[in-house]
Amino acid sequence: VRQVEDELAALRAEEQALARLVETAIADISDPIVDALTVEPGFETALGAALGDDLEAAVSEVGDAPVHWLTLPPLADPAALPDGCRPLSDFVQGPSVLARRLSQVGLVETPAAGRAAQEQLRVGQRLVSTDGGLWRWDGFVRQEGSPSAAAARLEQRNRLADLRDESEMTEARV
């Protein structure tokens, strides 16, 4: 019993510390879109590479936030992503304001696949990998493994949810 209680105490301490960290990061932002997203575990870095600081913008249909996303109708004739790329929207659920953007972000399995497919991208498209690589239509490249504050925040939010689940299960064991 004591061992399980110690385990629960450690989980709760990590949960509290991570909750404070996540809450502090959003204190100056009014309703950032990142808080309205659900990202499949393992795809946080890809989303962070694809959207970066744009994840900190608010959703505002009236345009009252200084930096915000507006809902626009779907693209009339969206360009297809290169063969072998899945749209990032397959791994991210959230507000429809990101539908246009996420439909034009392709997920590649390897950095080599990103480099090979970059020349096939249409205007506005980009490719990302799960380890943070980014290849844009205009020739911009961010090497995989590059740090991203947005990806770190998404990973922290997912870890916090996991900790809460683990705490509940461990509490039941106690």
Side-chain angles (χ1 to χ4, degrees):
V1 171
R2 182 70 184 149
Q3 182 180 356
V4 177
E5 287 175 336
D6 290 346
E7 192 178 315
L8 180 59
L11 286 169
R12 286 186 174 156
E14 184 181 356
E15 180 184 339
Q16 289 172 351
L18 196 52
R20 279 193 301 272
L21 182 64
V22 170
E23 289 167 8
T24 300
I26 63 169
D28 296 333
I29 303 166
S30 176
D31 300 322
I33 196 163
V34 69
D35 289 341
L37 299 176
T38 303
V39 183
E40 287 187 30
F43 295 92
E44 304 94 345
T45 303
L47 180 63
L51 296 177
D53 290 341
D54 295 349
L55 288 168
E56 300 301 328
V59 176
S60 176
E61 293 307 318
V62 294
D64 57 348
V67 179
H68 58 273
W69 287 92
L70 290 175
T71 302
L72 297 175
L75 294 170
D77 189 21
L81 292 167
D83 288 338
C85 300
R86 287 184 64 185
L88 193 55
S89 57
D90 288 356
F91 308 97
V92 179
Q93 288 75 47
S96 62
V97 297
L98 289 181
R100 281 181 172 219
R101 180 80 171 266
L102 293 177
S103 73
Q104 294 299 294
V105 177
L107 184 72
V108 293
E109 292 187 21
T110 65
R115 288 188 293 275
Q118 187 173 18
E119 291 182 16
Q120 300 170 36
L121 293 174
R122 306 282 187 202
V123 173
Q125 291 182 327
R126 55 187 65 198
L127 302 172
V128 294
S129 62
T130 56
D131 56 1
L134 169 71
W135 300 267
R136 278 192 338 212
W137 66 276
D138 56 3
F140 180 83
V141 175
R142 180 182 302 129
Q143 295 296 328
E144 53 280 351
S146 299
S148 161
R153 181 168 173 196
L154 289 165
E155 289 169 0
Q156 290 167 346
R157 287 182 53 232
N158 279 350
R159 175 64 183 148
L160 185 57
D162 290 345
L163 282 169
R164 289 179 173 150
D165 291 343
E166 287 179 52
S167 291
E168 284 181 23
M169 289 187 296
T170 304
E171 189 171 345
R173 286 177 43 215
V174 169

